[in-house]
Amino acid sequence: MKKLVFIVVLSVISPHFIQAQPKSFSTSHLKEGIEIQAFKNNFPDFGYSKKLPSKLTSQNPKAVIWFCDTIVKFDTNGLYQRFIFNFNAQGLRIFMGSENRQNNNWVNSDRCNYTYDANGNYLSQLFEIWQNNTWMNHSRLTTNYDNYGNLLTSLSEEWENNILITTYRTTNTYDANGHEILSLVEEWMNNAWADVNKKTNTYDANGNLLTSLTELWQNNTWINSQLSTYVFDNNGNMLSKSEELWQNNDWIQSFSYNYTYDSNGNKLMDLYQEWQNNVLVTSHRFTNTYDANANVILSIEEEWQNNIWNNYYRNTCT
C-alpha cells in the first residue's frame, strides 16, 4: 500500500475580510483523509468536478482563513503530483492546475481558470488538458444569476474534435426567501433538452434545510432515487443528516451523520453510521479541537472496530 503525504504551502487572509462575507462557513472533510476548517471549497478534490467554487465566508469574526498556494503529493517512491492555485484580491480562486512528476521534472497535466462578476459570483470555468506539449480545451461551465445573486442556470459544454458541444444544463428555482426549492438537470440530445434528474428541497420556518429529494427521469416519468433528511437545533447547527435510497418501490435507510458542538457553535464531532441488515452500525467519527480564535488545531478520525475506537488519521494545524 502506498503511503500518501501532502506538503501544503499556505497563505493567510485577514479575518477583517471574512467579517464582510454574508453566509456561513463550516468544516469540510477532504479527500485523502485531510480535514482542515480553513480550506472549504478552496481546497481541491484532486480532480475537477462541476461543483461551483463559492465565496469565502465565515460566521466567526476571529477565524483566520488559509489558502493553498501549492500542494505536493508523494509516496514511498517520491514526489509524483502537485497542485498550484491562484486567488484574486477578494479571496476567490481564479486558477487551479496540476502537474505530474516525470524524470525529476514537473510536467503539465491539466488546469482550470475561473471568472467572476463584480459581486463575486462565479461566472465561468475553463478546463484544459496538456497534450502534445500544448494546452487543449476540454470543457467549459458558464452560469448566470438573478438580481439577488441566486444561481439560475449553469451550462456544461465539451470540446469534441475542436468543436464545442453542449452537454448539460442545470436550472434552479427559489422561493421568496431565496431558498433553492428545485434544481433540474437536463441533457442536450437530438437538438433538444431532455430531463435527467431533479432535486426538490423543503425548509423549516428558519430557513434550515429539512429534506432533499432526488428523482430520476426514466420511461417518461419521475422515479424516486435518494432522500436526505436534516435536523437542526435552535441555533441553526445541523444535528443530523440521514440518507435513504429508493429500492424495490420502498425507501431503504443507507447512512446517517450526527453532529455535536461546543457552546460557541464549533463542531466537535461527526459520528458516521451505516445501515446494515436493518441495523444501524457505527463506522467512523471525526473530532475537532479548537484554539481560542476558533481555528481547528487538531482533527482526528477514528474507526469503530472490535467494539473500540481505533485511530485512523490525525491532522495538526499550527
Side-chain angles (χ1 to χ4, degrees):
M1 178 184 294
K2 292 183 177 180
K3 182 179 181 180
L4 300 180
V5 182
F6 298 81
I7 300 175
V8 182
V9 181
L10 303 171
S11 57
V12 67
I13 295 296
S14 167
H16 297 294
F17 167 74
I18 311 250
Q19 286 179 288
Q21 303 305 315
K23 298 181 181 178
S24 64
F25 178 86
S26 62
T27 303
S28 61
H29 181 58
L30 306 175
K31 188 175 180 181
E32 304 288 2
I34 293 181
E35 185 176 9
I36 302 177
Q37 179 188 18
F39 289 164
K40 201 191 179 192
N41 291 330
N42 294 302
F43 195 93
D45 56 6
F46 304 110
Y48 294 91
S49 68
K50 294 180 179 179
K51 295 170 68 175
L52 307 182
S54 65
K55 298 179 183 179
L56 175 66
T57 57
S58 177
Q59 286 179 315
N60 184 357
K62 295 183 179 180
V64 177
I65 302 301
W66 299 85
F67 289 94
C68 301
D69 291 330
T70 306
I71 296 177
V72 179
K73 296 172 64 177
F74 65 95
D75 57 25
T76 52
N77 296 317
L79 299 170
Y80 70 92
Q81 194 174 26
R82 74 176 176 182
F83 301 87
I84 300 171
F85 309 87
N86 289 321
F87 301 86
N88 64 16
Q90 289 72 44
L92 300 170
R93 185 175 66 206
I94 58 176
F95 173 84
M96 173 178 170
S98 72
E99 300 170 323
N100 296 320
R101 191 72 170 176
Q102 298 179 7
N103 300 320
N104 294 320
N105 294 308
W106 289 111
V107 179
N108 292 326
S109 175
D110 45 52
R111 68 183 183 184
C112 201
N113 287 279
Y114 309 88
T115 64
Y116 304 84
D117 64 19
N119 296 318
N121 294 314
Y122 166 85
L123 291 180
S124 69
Q125 169 182 308
L126 175 63
F127 178 49
E128 302 168 279
I129 57 176
W130 184 253
Q131 287 185 345
N132 302 321
N133 293 319
T134 189
W135 287 109
M136 302 290 294
N137 289 329
H138 180 274
S139 58
R140 183 175 70 180
L141 187 66
T142 54
T143 65
N144 67 79
Y145 299 79
D146 63 19
N147 293 331
Y148 302 100
N150 296 314
L151 176 65
L152 294 179
T153 63
S154 60
L155 179 68
S156 300
E157 302 166 289
E158 296 181 356
W159 273 270
E160 296 181 5
N161 300 320
N162 293 321
I163 298 175
L164 189 60
I165 306 297
T166 299
T167 55
Y168 291 94
R169 178 177 70 179
T170 301
T171 304
N172 301 321
T173 304
Y174 301 84
D175 63 18
N177 296 313
H179 301 130
E180 181 185 292
I181 56 175
L182 178 65
S183 181
L184 173 66
V185 177
E186 302 165 285
E187 183 178 9
W188 184 253
M189 298 177 62
N190 302 320
N191 294 318
W193 288 111
D195 291 335
V196 175
N197 62 65
K198 68 177 180 179
K199 182 176 67 175
T200 305
N201 300 325
T202 64
Y203 301 83
D204 64 18
N206 296 317
N208 296 313
L209 180 63
L210 290 180
T211 63
S212 182
L213 172 65
T214 300
E215 299 169 273
L216 306 179
W217 182 253
Q218 296 179 350
N219 301 320
N220 293 319
T221 189
W222 288 110
I223 304 297
N224 290 330
S225 174
Q226 176 180 310
L227 177 64
S228 298
T229 304
Y230 305 84
V231 176
F232 292 81
D233 64 17
N234 293 331
N235 296 317
N237 297 313
M238 187 188 298
L239 297 179
S240 66
K241 172 188 176 181
S242 59
E243 184 171 300
E244 300 169 271
L245 302 178
W246 185 255
Q247 297 178 359
N248 300 319
N249 293 319
D250 195 10
W251 287 111
I252 305 299
Q253 293 173 313
S254 178
F255 67 83
S256 69
Y257 277 98
N258 288 277
Y259 310 101
T260 58
Y261 303 83
D262 64 19
S263 59
N264 296 316
N266 297 312
K267 188 186 295 183
L268 296 178
M269 185 178 70
D270 302 8
L271 176 65
Y272 175 69
Q273 298 171 294
E274 297 177 339
W275 286 93
Q276 299 178 7
N277 300 318
N278 294 320
V279 176
L280 190 59
V281 178
T282 298
S283 176
H284 288 74
R285 72 177 179 185
F286 311 88
T287 55
N288 296 321
T289 303
Y290 299 82
D291 64 16
N293 293 320
N295 296 307
V296 176
I297 57 175
L298 178 65
S299 294
I300 297 176
E301 180 179 350
E302 299 165 283
E303 291 182 307
W304 182 253
Q305 294 179 339
N306 301 319
N307 293 320
I308 61 171
W309 286 110
N310 296 276
N311 290 328
Y312 182 71
Y313 85 86
R314 72 176 180 183
N315 187 74
T316 304
C317 303
T318 58

